[in-house]
Amino acid sequence: MQASKPSHSIFNIAVVVAALGYFVDIYDLLLFTIVKKSSVMAVGATDATLLVDSTKIINWQMIGLLLGGIIWGVLGDKKGRLSVLFGSIILYSAANFITGFIQTVDQYAMCRFVAGLGLAGELGAGITLVSELLPKNKRGIGTSLVAGIGLFGAVAAYFTYQYTNEDWRLCYKIGGGLGIMLLFLRISVAESGMFKQVKESNVQRGNFFMFFNNAKRFKKYVLAILIGLPTWYVIGILVNQSDRFGKSMFGSTTVDSGRSIMFAYTGIAIGDILIGLVSQYFKSRKKALLLFYFLCVISLIIFFSRVNNSDVRMYIICGLLGFSTGFWAIFVTMGAEQFGTNLRATAATTIPNMVRGALPLINLMFLSLFQKNWEWSLVKSGIVTGIVVLIITFIAFYFTEETFHKDLNYTEGEELMT
């Protein structure tokens, strides 16, 4: 397979194709939250069971992402970054097309699980390829463009739902078709030169257990996961359930969680592009990340305050929350930069999916406080869950190393060479 040479331009074919791939990925990943109510009700849920049934479906999707992250990450380091980009898109395109024909909640959950398995490989492999292709002084901007452009896929999903007269089945089929179209664009993308070098050596590649057999690597790996937790707390709970928060906080029955997702992901996309420039300005990943953390805290305070008292303000605040959590690109880039070439795809693919896979645990905490053990209000449960998530995140951030100036042309675990 042809290997790519290092490029000094952030506008090269690998960046463009990775961005388009992530666009389709996010379209498919967020489509469920946009069509949640109409689609789940259409396959047997009632208003009384909607929260539980929709949570079950998204939890299965996140579990698929968690497992898929490990599978595709290992394959990315063993077989190559492009192998993952091709294989994952075939799987999630097929799963999304089949989702257009499901008839029960259980079928819905299983299809989203398979889609999650496929979707797990897209971002990590793309970020790894771009990180290895661009020089270190530009890779933050390149990966931010990948994520920023890609995140507009959620906006596309929302408007596709609107312009198909809210035909959620057709939306899933369109998502499957977009994936197959993207497959043909990837033919012109070359493999990473760094990967080809490591492939020709005798160092172990894609050994997932290497994250756990060395204390320093294990610490870096855990910290790299924990610094990304606020994103899925915001999206998975606050924005996804914005209709219920609107009803609880100011009595609205007209907040559309799909529209909230659209505004939030518009904000995230803009934030993800800007954070690359902020990181470049500070010459630091951590300073840029800390700035967005503080913006997130401010946005959360506004979300739970009396300022949030109408549908319009809810949508605006969801946009602010999205912008403040627009650090996904830098977070995944830092994960890729933490580890050597023989583990980089495994790290960059598993780390964001471990964060996504943590959503069921965050949901469990939230629902336990709200429904079961404590019987707290929806708002109080959301606040307490957010405080716990942020405390964990800030502690992890403090111990995370700076990676802006790090040279990526190295390998992990020389002592474990075969």
Side-chain angles (χ1 to χ4, degrees):
M1 182 177 289
Q2 183 186 1
S4 60
K5 296 179 180 180
S7 171
H8 295 286
S9 172
I10 58 173
F11 298 105
N12 59 64
I13 187 64
V15 174
V16 172
V17 172
L20 291 175
Y22 194 42
F23 180 94
V24 177
D25 176 293
I26 289 296
Y27 174 100
D28 290 334
L29 184 65
L30 271 296
L31 183 58
F32 171 71
T33 58
I34 292 169
V35 305
K36 176 186 65 178
K37 185 172 183 179
S38 62
S39 63
V40 179
M41 296 285 279
V43 295
T46 64
D47 190 59
T49 66
L50 180 60
L51 178 60
V52 173
D53 286 337
S54 62
T55 300
K56 173 184 176 180
I57 293 168
I58 198 169
N59 281 349
W60 273 106
Q61 177 173 293
M62 293 303 167
I63 292 169
L65 287 162
L66 178 63
L67 295 177
I70 298 172
I71 295 168
W72 294 116
V74 170
L75 288 175
D77 281 321
K78 287 186 177 292
K79 302 296 183 183
R81 287 58 167 134
L82 288 181
S83 298
V84 171
L85 290 176
F86 278 103
S88 63
I89 201 167
I90 292 171
L91 182 59
Y92 74 70
S93 295
N96 278 291
F97 190 79
I98 293 171
T99 304
F101 299 93
I102 52 98
Q103 298 297 326
T104 68
V105 170
D106 287 340
Q107 290 175 2
Y108 206 161
M110 288 303 98
C111 279
R112 297 320 298 161
F113 170 74
V114 176
L117 284 174
L119 291 164
E122 184 68 41
L123 178 62
I127 291 290
T128 302
L129 188 62
V130 170
S131 295
E132 293 175 344
L133 177 66
L134 295 177
K136 60 185 176 183
N137 64 322
K138 291 184 178 180
R139 64 185 179 231
I141 298 177
T143 55
S144 290
L145 284 174
V146 170
I149 294 170
L151 287 162
F152 278 109
V155 181
Y158 174 78
F159 284 110
T160 300
Y161 183 53
Q162 299 301 313
Y163 290 134
T164 56
N165 294 319
E166 301 187 349
D167 186 341
W168 62 272
R169 294 184 185 275
L170 179 57
C171 290
Y172 276 116
K173 294 171 187 176
I174 290 172
L178 288 173
I180 298 302
M181 289 172 59
L182 179 63
L183 205 58
F184 294 102
L185 289 177
R186 292 212 160 132
I187 296 173
S188 59
V189 180
E191 183 58 270
S192 161
M194 287 186 192
F195 170 76
K196 187 177 181 182
Q197 275 186 315
V198 170
K199 186 177 181 181
E200 293 172 350
S201 71
N202 63 345
V203 69
Q204 284 195 19
R205 307 190 313 274
N207 183 351
F208 182 66
F209 297 103
M210 287 178 70
F211 293 123
F212 306 96
N213 64 10
N214 177 281
K216 184 178 179 181
R217 274 199 299 270
F218 178 70
K219 177 184 176 182
K220 288 196 300 181
Y221 187 67
V222 172
L223 293 177
I225 294 168
L226 296 179
I227 62 173
L229 291 180
T231 301
W232 278 97
Y233 158 69
V234 166
I235 294 299
I237 292 182
L238 303 188
V239 179
N240 186 38
Q241 304 293 344
S242 59
D243 52 344
R244 291 182 175 269
F245 278 103
K247 184 175 182 180
S248 177
M249 294 170 69
F250 49 88
S252 174
T253 58
T254 54
V255 172
D256 178 4
S257 59
R259 181 171 292 184
S260 298
I261 287 286
M262 186 271 291
F263 277 102
Y265 267 83
T266 300
I268 293 174
I270 295 170
D272 260 306
I273 293 172
L274 289 180
I275 198 171
L277 300 175
V278 173
S279 175
Q280 192 72 17
Y281 175 79
F282 286 128
K283 298 292 188 289
S284 168
R285 306 278 186 249
K286 290 192 69 175
K287 288 180 180 178
L289 190 58
L290 185 61
L291 173 62
F292 274 67
Y293 280 163
F294 281 123
L295 290 175
C296 182
V297 171
I298 293 170
S299 299
L300 287 171
I301 292 171
I302 296 173
F303 181 90
F304 288 112
S305 74
R306 293 183 179 179
V307 173
N308 192 0
N309 60 8
S310 70
D311 290 13
V312 172
R313 290 189 177 186
M314 173 65 83
Y315 297 139
I316 293 172
I317 293 168
C318 283
L320 292 175
L321 279 171
F323 179 82
S324 71
T325 52
F327 52 77
W328 195 245
I330 290 297
F331 150 69
V332 179
T333 302
M334 289 174 69
E337 292 171 338
Q338 296 274 3
F339 300 95
T341 307
N342 57 322
L343 278 181
R344 188 165 299 126
T346 307
T349 306
T350 57
I351 286 169
N353 288 303
M354 289 290 180
V355 176
R356 290 164 169 169
L359 180 58
L361 296 177
I362 298 173
N363 270 329
L364 179 63
M365 182 194 310
F366 172 67
L367 291 176
S368 294
L369 293 173
F370 174 50
Q371 287 187 322
K372 299 177 182 178
N373 302 330
W374 296 74
E375 296 184 353
W376 286 358
S377 70
L378 186 79
V379 174
K380 188 174 182 181
S381 300
I383 291 172
V384 172
T385 302
I387 290 172
V388 172
V389 167
L390 287 173
I391 289 173
I392 294 171
T393 299
F394 276 108
I395 293 173
F397 170 84
Y398 178 80
F399 290 103
T400 297
E401 69 178 56
E402 178 62 68
T403 60
F404 183 87
H405 297 287
K406 196 168 184 179
D407 185 355
L408 300 188
N409 195 14
Y410 72 100
T411 58
E412 295 277 350
E414 299 289 344
E415 75 281 0
L416 295 177
M417 290 172 62
T418 55

